[in-house]
Amino acid sequence: MKIVILDGYTENPGDLSWEGFEKLGDLTVYDRTPADKIVERIGDADVVYTNKTPITRETLDACPNVKFIGVLATGYNVIDVEAAKEKGIPVSNIPTYGTDAVAQFTIALLLELCHHIGDHSNAVKNGEWTNNPDWCFWNYPLIELAGKTMGVIGFGRIGQRTAEIAQALGMKILAYDAYKNPELESESCKYVELEELLANSDVISLHCPLFPETEGIINKDTIAKMKDGVMILNTSRGPLIVEEDLRDALNSGKVAGAGLDVVSKEPIEMDNPLLSAKNIIITPHIAWAPKESRQRLMDIAVDNLKGFKEGKPINVVNK
Ligand code: NAD
């Protein structure tokens, strides 16, 4: 069985092993594949794995030997799953692998906004402490979270885990979700409608998927309903936020800080409005990427192929 991985670098830049796949067939791994090389590289392979490289109907027409497609990610919008279905090709994804990592990263963004540890460490190394007249100094307001309220938009796996950690820091949780599970409510965690969440949260963290109804959920109108000095976190998907509106709110001080791991167009373009905003931290979509969660992803991707080989495909998204 010939297996081709079109863009394996972000999953395994060299610190993991592809041996699980090697045991299942004749494996070729490309770090990345430009659009004009996709068909050539798939060639007569039986199995194709992709992370972000598109697999279109035309590609499938040109590569008739493909029998199984695996995604090295949860999202599979890069694949024409309907075209694959018509051709009898199952497409399997990785439903979940990084809940703890993404929740931890969300809290890391929040703690960085509260303490600016990186900036303060750099200031010390640059001599600011040495030359300071007092025994300590801080360059930003320092913020204690205990007693404050976090609004979680999208109370699924990552939203709930983030809320658990926030509660351990003494925060109260207001959760907003399209589907409510009353068993998740407690003294310090309540479901509310979006308006109530916006009006009462000191921190708002986005964990809902990107759907037409959630696109732009953070915009000038919803920001206007928030508390002055709110902090906004987004480790979900960039288009949940209207970036010009967030920039304006950060620059006016209405929003005191934002921590984002995702933006509307990735990699970020240098004219993205958020790059000119005050009090913002932007990281390059890395919340998912600790080695532990990439290993979990690798194990599930291998299991998906084993399932296919054994005639019992799992995690199929185009049944
Ligand atoms: P999940 O499916 O467990 O949770 C999503 C929640 O959003 C569900 O409870 C769902 O009911 C809710 N929801 C759906 N539509 C909604 C709406 N219109 N309004 C409010 N809530 C709505 O997903 P998850 O595993 O918690 O992942 C959440 C998001 O995190 C994913 O959609 C993905 O975009 C993102 N993610 C980012 C990274 C990263 O590296 N930054 C990694 C993994 C996942």
Side-chain angles (χ1 to χ4, degrees):
M1 182 160 62
K2 255 178 140 172
I3 308 163
V4 170
I5 297 179
L6 290 172
D7 51 357
Y9 187 81
T10 52
E11 160 60 14
N12 178 11
D15 54 354
L16 300 179
S17 163
W18 295 111
E19 70 171 351
F21 282 104
E22 281 159 358
K23 286 184 185 150
L24 296 173
D26 171 13
L27 177 70
T28 307
V29 182
Y30 296 99
D31 281 348
R32 28 192 101 71
T33 293
D36 61 350
K37 288 264 190 292
I38 297 171
V39 168
E40 180 190 321
R41 289 186 175 176
I42 296 176
D44 62 351
D46 306 276
V47 171
V48 186
Y49 268 79
T50 177
N51 187 332
K52 300 283 178 278
T53 305
I55 300 186
T56 61
R57 181 181 288 276
E58 292 69 36
T59 298
L60 293 175
D61 287 341
C63 304
N65 206 39
V66 172
K67 299 174 187 68
F68 176 78
I69 301 172
V71 199
L72 292 168
T74 306
Y76 48 85
N77 56 316
V78 294
I79 298 165
D80 188 334
V81 287
E82 276 309 309
K85 186 176 168 182
E86 284 168 29
K87 291 170 186 291
I89 305 169
V91 176
S92 289
N93 78 333
I94 317 290
T96 173
Y97 61 92
T99 300
D100 287 313
V102 180
Q104 177 181 319
F105 196 90
T106 306
I107 298 294
L109 289 173
L110 176 58
L111 294 177
E112 185 64 22
L113 288 175
C114 291
H115 302 290
H116 293 272
I117 288 174
D119 287 316
H120 284 115
S121 176
N122 285 337
V124 170
K125 290 177 189 169
N126 290 336
E128 262 189 72
W129 199 11
T130 311
N131 298 320
N132 198 67
D134 302 309
W135 61 276
C136 74
F137 71 95
W138 54 93
N139 292 335
Y140 299 86
L142 301 171
I143 300 165
E144 186 178 82
L145 291 169
K148 293 203 167 48
T149 297
M150 175 185 278
V152 178
I153 298 183
F155 205 51
R157 285 174 292 234
I158 297 171
Q160 288 168 40
R161 186 73 190 112
T162 302
E164 280 170 15
I165 307 172
Q167 284 171 284
L169 294 170
M171 299 188 81
K172 294 188 212 88
I173 305 298
L174 297 176
Y176 170 70
D177 199 291
Y179 307 94
K180 295 179 180 44
N181 174 4
E183 286 177 17
L184 297 174
E185 290 194 305
S186 67
E187 187 74 12
S188 56
C189 176
K190 298 256 177 292
Y191 281 107
V192 290
E193 290 309 314
L194 185 59
E195 300 276 315
E196 194 178 338
L197 181 152
L198 296 172
N200 293 294
S201 300
D202 302 293
V203 178
I204 293 179
S205 195
L206 301 177
H207 300 286
C208 56
L210 177 62
F211 288 149
E213 63 270 26
T214 55
E215 184 167 355
I217 194 167
I218 302 299
N219 58 53
K220 58 178 180 331
D221 298 329
T222 49
I223 291 171
K225 294 174 181 162
M226 295 176 193
K227 279 188 174 183
D228 291 344
V230 64
M231 291 186 278
I232 295 177
L233 308 171
N234 188 9
T235 53
S236 187
R237 285 292 177 261
L240 296 174
I241 294 179
V242 178
E243 293 176 334
E244 289 80 5
D245 293 355
L246 179 58
R247 173 203 54 200
D248 294 347
L250 282 161
N251 287 345
S252 74
K254 166 76 187 178
V255 175
L260 314 179
D261 187 46
V262 287
V263 293
S264 58
K265 179 130 195 323
E266 298 176 358
I268 197 166
E269 294 180 329
M270 286 315 292
D271 62 356
N272 185 306
L274 293 171
L275 290 173
S276 61
K278 283 198 263 180
N279 300 323
I280 191 165
I281 302 165
I282 307 174
T283 50
H285 203 144
I286 51 172
W288 67 284
K291 189 176 177 190
E292 294 83 352
S293 72
R294 284 183 293 108
Q295 181 64 60
R296 205 170 296 121
L297 192 158
M298 177 80 87
D299 294 344
I300 299 167
V302 169
D303 284 348
N304 284 350
L305 183 51
K306 275 189 199 150
F308 168 72
K309 257 193 116 174
E310 290 161 8
K312 291 181 214 132
I314 51 170
N315 298 323
V316 176
V317 297
N318 64 339
K319 273 188 208 147

